[in-house]
């Protein structure tokens, strides 16, 4: 039906990941924030992982769409 | 030490929650224009690919109560909680995909109760439809209550506010996009739950010093407990199952394998429309059969995500300088606080918002599952069957939407009832456990024995439910104090016929008794009554009268049997590694 769920998932994870990673980057020299997370910048790490996952989903979604468009075009071309 | 938890959220935490809500509602809005018939609204037009239904299949079960409850069990019973996955869920999911899905998907049934009507008769369907409809809305009310209480204590949100906001979000996206919207959101929510809890497991393991260190800490706990368990009682799954006295669960292997692994798990995963509906929304028979098998792959690894934090919390509590302590409740640890306590302990602002969003997402996936299962059973099995048959499809689409609203409203009511009378909810959950326990026997006989009759099925179910209630009324866990835990038939928990070492053991054996009774009674009454359905009518509903699904054109690695073998092998390996 209608939508390819990989696209909204990819978009949401990319945005969330970017926001979290940027926030982690800004707060990197603030040791008080990361005292809880054992001095690991967990925001930056988690953000980057989410961003990577989101971009991967977006890429797969876009590649599939391109392929399907190509198939549709060749079908109409033949028919 | 200060064990009161209260989170202070920063703008970043609110931003993360906000972005999630925008996407979850957005999916509903985009799908709105496709909802033109009741078939699309209530059954997703049977058009969804297997990987999506597969993830939705496990996501809808991964509600807030499961996430909080599994972590609580991890702290209470240790790693043996994995049995709920590796002995419980996985074999049942394999069985559903290989053997039962062809009947659900291949028959014209639009729901599990409707299958019962085709296979048996109207009264069996009615019994199942009504009990299921009531059960689902109450279940979503209970989890809404749990979430609101959590949000109230954690972030200081008003109870009513939390309930209204979470209910309205779920209502909007299920009302607009129906089952499709629920399923798509469940996939999104699944990934969010994983990414929200993964940092918690990572930091927790790092904090305690890794799995080996966790084992050493929990060996201490086991050796020093009142029951003086063996050192590995909290970190090994099978080794201490030889006696119910040797493990914190208080169950022995036979009760666990039969009660949990066979009766309860097969009953839940194979006959509960909540999960089966996801597979029935798949775009082909092959996809429907692969749904539970694809879902089983990530499902096997969920213990590392949801049970492990509980064990880490228990270990941290025994470390004097960890700065972490589980709060107490009535002299024992308040296990339900494991997840929020751990989030507060390890998560700085930022991932804290992510963790809370994951918790919200898990709540919504569970509630949307309940609501979409309810509106289908209500519309097709109750409204169309008994109240208003023969109306136009537009009318039923309208009714499906109204049932969505009604389901949410009744859930909200149930949440308030739960708030007022905690025992009423315990009681209702008990009644539904009695109704569920024998169900798998009915389906097993219905699908694999063509001689099983409608009368046999109906009275089998009734007597199975009665047997469960009687067993529960005559027994009790050894430390029970109220009649809600058992012994109500003899008037006191001290006068029971048998005292179980734990509530879990009692539950497993209640299920075993209910199943056996239903199984035997269904056979006896079926043999004594006439089969009213002809072989032609039973085609596609019973194993021996149904042609095997054709798989000749399917590449070998996409076949359900191949997937099933892979899943089974990995599950066995996990059982052996953590023996």
């Amino acid at each position: 039906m209608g939508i390819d769920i990989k696209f909204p998932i990819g978009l949401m994870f990319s945005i969330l990941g970017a926001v979290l990673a940027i926030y982690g980057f800004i707060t990197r020299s603030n040791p008080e924030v990361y005292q809880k997370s054992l001095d690991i910048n967990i925001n930056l790490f988690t953000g980057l992982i989410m961003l990577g996952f989101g971009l991967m989903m977006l890429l797969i979604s876009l590649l599939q769409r391109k392929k399907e468009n190509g198939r549709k075009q060749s079908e109409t071309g033949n028919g | 030490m200060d064990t009161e938890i209260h989170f202070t959220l920063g703008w970043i935490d609110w931003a993360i929650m906000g972005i999630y809500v925008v996407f979850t509602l957005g999916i509903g809005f985009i799908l709105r224009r496709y909802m033109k018939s009741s078939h699309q609204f209530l059954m997703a037009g049977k058009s969804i690919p297997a990987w999506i239904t597969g993830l939705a299949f496990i996501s809808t079960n991964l509600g807030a109560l499961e996430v909080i409850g599994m972590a609580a069990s991890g702290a209470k019973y240790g790693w043996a909680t994995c049995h709920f996955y590796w002995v419980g869920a996985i074999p049942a999911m394999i069985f559903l995909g290989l053997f039962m899905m062809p009947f659900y998907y291949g028959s014209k049934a639009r729901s599990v109760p409707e299958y019962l009507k085709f296979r048996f008769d109207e009264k069996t369907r009615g019994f199942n439809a009504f009990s299921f409809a009531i059960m689902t809305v109450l279940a979503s009310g209970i989890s809404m209550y749990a979430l609101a209480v959590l949000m109230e204590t954690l972030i200081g949100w008003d109870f009513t506010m939390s309930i209204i906001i979470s209910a309205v979000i779920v209502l909007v996206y299920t009302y607009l996009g129906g089952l499709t919207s629920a399923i798509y959101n469940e996939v999104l929510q699944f990934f969010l739950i994983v990414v929200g809890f993964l940092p918690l497991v990572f930091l927790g393991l790092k904090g305690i010093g890794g799995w080996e260190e966790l084992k050493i800490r929990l060996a201490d706990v086991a050796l020093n407990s009142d029951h003086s368990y063996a050192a590995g009682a909290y970190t090994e799954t099978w080794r201490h199952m030889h006696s119910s006295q040797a493990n914190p669960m208080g169950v022995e292997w036979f009760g666990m394998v039969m009660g949990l692994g066979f009766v309860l798990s097969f009953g839940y995963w194979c006959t509960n429309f909540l999960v089966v509906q996801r597979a029935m929304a798949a775009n082909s028979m092959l996809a429907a059969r692969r749904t539970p098998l694809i879902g089983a792959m990530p499902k096997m690894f969920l213990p590392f995500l949801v049970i492990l934090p509980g064990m880490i919390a228990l270990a941290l509590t025994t470390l004097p300088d960890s700065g972490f302590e589980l709060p107490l409740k009535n002299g024992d640890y308040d296990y339900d606080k494991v997840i929020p306590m751990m989030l507060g302990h390890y998560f700085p602002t930022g991932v804290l918002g992510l963790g809370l969003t994951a918790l919200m997402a898990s709540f919504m996936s569970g509630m949307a599952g309940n609501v979409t299962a309810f509106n289908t059973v209500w519309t097709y099995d109750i409204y169309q069957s008994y109240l208003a048959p023969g109306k136009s499809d537009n009318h039923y689409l309208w009714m499906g939407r109204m049932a969505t609203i009604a389901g949410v409203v009744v859930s909200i009511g149930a949440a308030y009832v739960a708030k007022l009378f905690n025992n009423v909810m315990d009681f209702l959950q008990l009644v539904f456990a009695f109704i569920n326990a024998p169900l798998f026997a009915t389906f097993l006989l219905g699908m694999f024995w063509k001689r099983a009759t409608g009368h046999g099925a109906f009275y089998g179910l009734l007597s199975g439910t009665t047997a469960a209630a009687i067993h529960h009324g005559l027994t009790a866990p050894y430390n029970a104090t109220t009649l809600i835990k058992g012994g109500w038939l003899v008037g006191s928990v001290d006068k029971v016929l048998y005292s179980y070492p734990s509530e879990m053991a009692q539950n497993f054996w209640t299920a075993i008794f209910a199943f056996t009774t239903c199984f035997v009674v269904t056979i006896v009454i079926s043999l004594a009554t006439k089969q009213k359905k002809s072989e032609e009518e039973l085609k596609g509903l019973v194993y021996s009268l149904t042609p095997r699904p054709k798989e000749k054109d399917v590449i070998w690695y996409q076949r359900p049997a191949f997937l099933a073998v892979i899943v089974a092998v990995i599950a066995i390996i996990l059982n052996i590694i953590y023996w």
Side-chain angles (χ1 to χ4, degrees):
Chain A
M1 197 173 305
I3 62 168
D4 170 22
I5 189 63
K6 290 191 283 307
F7 192 81
I9 289 178
L11 197 60
M12 187 184 87
F13 273 81
S14 302
I15 295 175
L16 284 180
V19 169
L20 204 55
I22 292 170
Y23 182 79
F25 186 76
I26 298 170
T27 53
R28 70 187 181 286
S29 48
N30 185 346
E32 268 172 41
V33 177
Y34 298 107
Q35 210 175 5
K36 274 185 169 182
S37 55
L38 314 169
D39 302 321
I40 297 168
N41 192 331
I42 196 75
N43 286 334
L44 184 61
F45 277 119
T46 312
L48 288 178
I49 290 170
M50 289 174 78
L51 184 61
F53 174 76
L55 291 176
M56 191 186 75
M57 284 297 233
L58 280 179
L59 191 72
I60 297 173
S61 172
L62 291 175
L63 284 178
Q64 263 182 4
R65 193 178 297 184
K66 215 171 157 189
K67 212 165 115 188
E68 262 167 43
N69 280 345
R71 200 185 302 149
K72 263 184 209 154
Q73 264 168 14
S74 67
E75 271 170 22
T76 44
N78 294 335
Chain B
M1 186 184 306
D2 182 22
T3 49
E4 274 295 301
I5 24 165
H6 191 82
F7 299 161
T8 345
L9 300 185
W11 61 269
I12 177 88
D13 302 307
W14 293 106
I16 289 169
M17 280 188 232
I19 294 168
Y20 160 71
V21 170
V22 167
F23 271 87
T24 212
L25 293 178
I27 289 173
F29 273 98
I30 293 170
L31 287 169
R32 179 173 58 157
R33 59 198 168 100
Y34 299 100
M35 299 300 131
K36 297 235 165 67
S37 68
S38 71
H39 179 69
Q40 271 161 352
F41 188 75
L42 299 172
M43 300 167 69
K46 289 200 170 192
S47 66
I48 301 185
W51 75 270
I52 294 179
T53 51
L55 288 180
F57 188 90
I58 55 168
S59 183
T60 196
N61 167 258
L62 198 60
L65 285 183
E66 274 71 27
V67 172
I68 294 168
M70 279 300 158
S73 297
K76 203 170 171 183
Y77 309 121
W79 201 222
T81 311
C82 289
H83 289 313
F84 278 86
Y85 290 78
W86 301 337
V87 181
I90 300 302
M93 288 164 83
I94 292 175
F95 189 79
L96 174 67
L98 286 187
F99 299 107
M100 288 177 74
M101 222 43 232
F103 307 118
Y104 286 136
Y105 196 88
S107 70
K108 286 187 191 70
R110 295 167 298 180
S111 67
V112 167
E114 198 165 47
Y115 170 83
L116 288 177
K117 175 197 154 85
F118 291 153
R119 174 61 187 85
F120 294 116
D121 56 13
E122 197 59 62
K123 62 179 179 297
T124 312
R125 182 254 279 266
F127 183 70
N128 185 246
F130 277 101
S131 58
F132 180 79
I134 299 169
M135 189 163 60
T136 43
V137 282
L138 292 181
S140 77
I142 295 171
S143 65
M144 200 188 292
Y145 161 76
L147 183 86
V149 166
L150 210 60
M151 291 303 180
E152 195 175 30
T153 46
L154 292 184
I155 331 177
W157 282 359
D158 180 57
F159 183 83
T160 302
M161 271 275 286
S162 315
I163 288 212
I164 302 283
I165 291 177
S166 49
V168 165
I169 293 172
V170 172
L171 174 61
V172 168
Y173 76 73
T174 48
Y175 179 87
L176 291 172
L179 180 62
T180 317
S181 177
I183 288 178
Y184 280 176
N185 265 308
E186 277 153 14
V187 176
L188 182 128
Q189 284 149 354
F190 175 76
F191 287 122
L192 206 51
I193 296 167
V194 172
V195 86
F197 288 109
L198 219 46
L200 188 66
V201 176
F202 171 74
L203 290 174
L205 275 180
K206 190 140 176 85
I208 203 87
W211 172 253
E212 289 304 320
E213 197 61 34
L214 180 66
K215 266 166 115 171
I216 296 171
R217 300 279 359 140
L218 291 181
D220 258 8
V221 177
L223 293 169
N224 294 325
S225 71
D226 302 341
H227 304 265
S228 41
Y229 298 123
Y234 280 95
T235 48
E236 290 158 346
T237 54
W238 284 97
R239 216 165 267 153
H240 312 280
M241 282 285 149
H242 55 88
S243 151
S244 57
Q245 306 298 331
N247 61 76
M249 268 188 180
V251 293
E252 85 303 349
W253 68 273
F254 184 81
M256 195 275 290
V257 171
M258 289 305 290
L260 169 68
F262 185 60
V263 179
L264 287 175
S265 296
F266 279 72
Y268 178 81
W269 292 100
C270 301
T271 74
N272 194 315
F273 185 53
L274 176 68
V275 287
V276 173
Q277 186 182 28
R278 270 74 201 143
M280 286 172 81
N283 59 16
S284 66
M285 170 69 91
L286 183 66
R289 296 184 66 201
R290 287 168 61 200
T291 295
L293 300 168
I294 291 174
M297 300 274 185
K299 178 87 187 168
M300 283 186 280
F301 297 97
L302 286 183
F304 296 97
L305 201 67
V306 294
I307 298 175
L308 211 46
M311 296 165 65
I312 295 168
L314 181 65
L316 284 175
T317 302
T318 63
L319 269 179
D321 53 350
S322 70
F324 180 93
E325 202 173 335
L326 276 171
L328 296 172
K329 187 182 175 186
N330 305 334
D332 198 1
Y333 293 127
D334 186 0
Y335 294 106
D336 287 341
K337 290 269 161 63
V338 164
I339 286 287
M341 287 293 292
M342 288 285 280
L343 288 179
H345 185 70
Y346 281 121
F347 276 11
T349 183
V351 278
L352 182 60
L354 188 69
L356 289 175
T357 308
L359 210 53
M360 276 198 336
S362 77
F363 161 76
M364 287 183 191
S365 70
M367 176 165 177
N370 280 314
V371 170
T372 49
F374 167 80
N375 64 14
T376 307
V377 166
W378 169 265
T379 305
Y380 286 150
D381 290 298
I382 296 175
Y383 187 73
Q384 190 179 32
S385 305
Y386 304 117
L387 301 174
K391 294 269 165 65
S392 72
D393 185 67
N394 256 338
H395 181 79
Y396 295 124
L397 172 60
W398 170 82
M399 186 28 85
R401 289 218 148 107
M402 290 307 115
T404 311
I405 300 178
V408 171
V409 171
V410 177
S411 303
I412 294 177
Y416 277 94
V417 173
K419 194 183 183 201
L420 288 175
F421 315 99
N422 231 327
N423 277 333
V424 172
M425 281 331 213
D426 282 347
F427 173 71
L428 285 173
Q429 279 183 315
L430 203 59
V431 172
F432 293 132
F434 297 162
I435 291 174
N436 274 336
L439 211 52
F440 184 60
T442 306
F443 279 85
L444 202 59
L445 289 169
M447 286 179 172
F448 297 96
W449 189 45
K450 65 180 180 184
R451 187 64 184 77
T453 67
H455 289 311
F458 183 73
Y459 293 106
L461 272 179
L462 275 190
S463 51
T465 299
T466 313
I470 291 176
H471 176 264
H472 185 265
L474 293 176
T475 62
Y478 79 98
N479 57 354
T481 48
T482 64
L483 289 179
I484 200 103
K485 303 284 181 205
W488 47 273
L489 272 177
V490 287
S492 153
V493 285
D494 306 322
K495 286 188 259 168
V496 292
L497 294 188
Y498 188 79
S499 200
Y500 283 104
S502 73
E503 207 175 325
M504 200 179 276
Q506 186 200 20
N507 286 343
F508 292 172
W509 282 99
T510 300
I512 294 173
F513 272 93
F515 176 89
T516 314
T517 308
C518 177
F519 194 81
V520 172
V521 171
T522 306
I523 292 177
V524 170
I525 296 194
S526 290
L527 290 175
T529 51
K530 212 170 147 268
Q531 175 62 281
K532 286 184 187 141
K533 303 256 176 190
S534 67
E535 297 223 331
E536 195 51 39
E537 282 176 295
L538 292 179
K539 221 173 195 174
L541 302 169
V542 179
Y543 192 75
S544 60
L545 301 173
T546 306
R548 303 288 158 271
K550 285 197 195 75
E551 287 177 0
K552 270 192 189 141
D553 327 329
V554 183
I555 316 167
W556 59 272
Y557 61 80
Q558 290 202 339
R559 287 185 191 168
F562 176 74
L563 273 173
V565 170
I566 301 276
V567 170
V569 168
I570 303 177
I572 291 170
I573 292 175
L574 284 170
N575 272 305
I576 293 173
I577 292 178
Y578 296 102
W579 185 266

